Amino acid sequence: MNHPQFGKAPKGKRLEMLQQSPNYKNGEFQNIHFTPMVSEGYSMSGVMYDFIFSKFPRTVPATEIPSIRTSLKNLDRTDNVLIWFGHSSYFIQLNGIRFLIDPVFSGNASPVPYSNRSFKGTDIYTADDMPEIDHVLISHDHYDHLDYPTIMLLKPKIKQVICGLGVGAHFEYWKFDVSKIIEKDWNETVVINDDITLHTASARHFSGRGLKRKNTLWLSFILQTNALKLYLGGDSGYDTHFAELGEKFGSFDLAVLDNGQYNIAWKELHMTPEEALTAAKDLKTKRLFPVHTSKFKLASHPWDEPMKNIAKLNEISGRIPLVTPMIGEVVDLDDIDQTFGQWWEHLP
């Protein structure tokens, strides 16, 4: 637990600051509505036993995940694009500003070496492939979203980190210049420049890298320009905040939503495909990008089930244009009519 990858819990002035948050009560951050770590009728010991010892079919693909290798360093800075790296890591270039969201390039979603390896074919990008990054956005401090080896390799390229309250303690411990760290509560704003504004919003999840949970804040982001509104969801179970944000912001051009690693035993913490589609409708989004899938085994469902089910359900009742790129494929943020194939079809 003394290894730097575990980070540091908030203390001193940082702890005093986050204790003033209306979302911090009884010694921890709280969700808007009651959110158990394990759903009613299940136990943490049973969940852990199943994860470690039980065998479920097709949780890992039997072949490589397909990808397209796009050079981020050679992108035209005038292009508004998104490039996905699998799971919940992706790059956004917007009006010449570069954002990197929840980067994980170490090939592992756990602090224990080799314990939760990425699927074959999903590690085509490394920290060396990243250009200089204007803003790294961290939705929360779980290992599959805040990866110590990746962050340390990226450190010389990062101009600024924007994260939830308390998460800055990890970055300060990792010797980041404190002037480069911005910590925010829900419903706050960071002005990036005259044409780009970043808003923070709630999510329904939890946090923690060590034995203590919920000691740092989890959040979602809204990235807004004069022409585009993007919802960057992070991890979240379904709740009323999606409809509230849809009303507050009017609509979104693209919503990136949690759609994987779900289980009935923790149904309040992650969304099923059905819930992701409902959340997209609540947000009034023009396009939906389902993520949190196709790189790590963190649940017992077949690896491709989230993508198969959301595509099938959307055909029946959703009809929201789905953004389903291969890893590395360019998503044109200005082209609402861009289409994508179902790359997961026919993979074992």
Side-chain angles (χ1 to χ4, degrees), residues 70-75 98 127-131 157:
T70 297
S71 173
L72 275 63
K73 294 178 180 178
N74 292 328
L75 289 172
R98 291 165 169 162
D128 287 341
D129 297 314
M130 298 300 111
K157 300 181 178 184

Side-chain angles (χ1 to χ4, degrees), residues 262-280:
Y262 47 77
N263 191 302
I264 193 172
W266 58 79
K267 60 184 175 66
E268 289 84 5
L269 300 174
H270 290 288
M271 287 191 287
T272 63
E274 293 90 341
E275 290 171 324
L277 282 174
T278 301

Side-chain angles (χ1 to χ4, degrees), residues 234-252:
D235 281 4
S236 182
Y238 182 75
D239 207 347
T240 58
H241 62 284
F242 295 113
E244 291 164 2
L245 290 169
E247 289 300 316
K248 179 178 179 179
F249 287 93
S251 67
F252 290 91

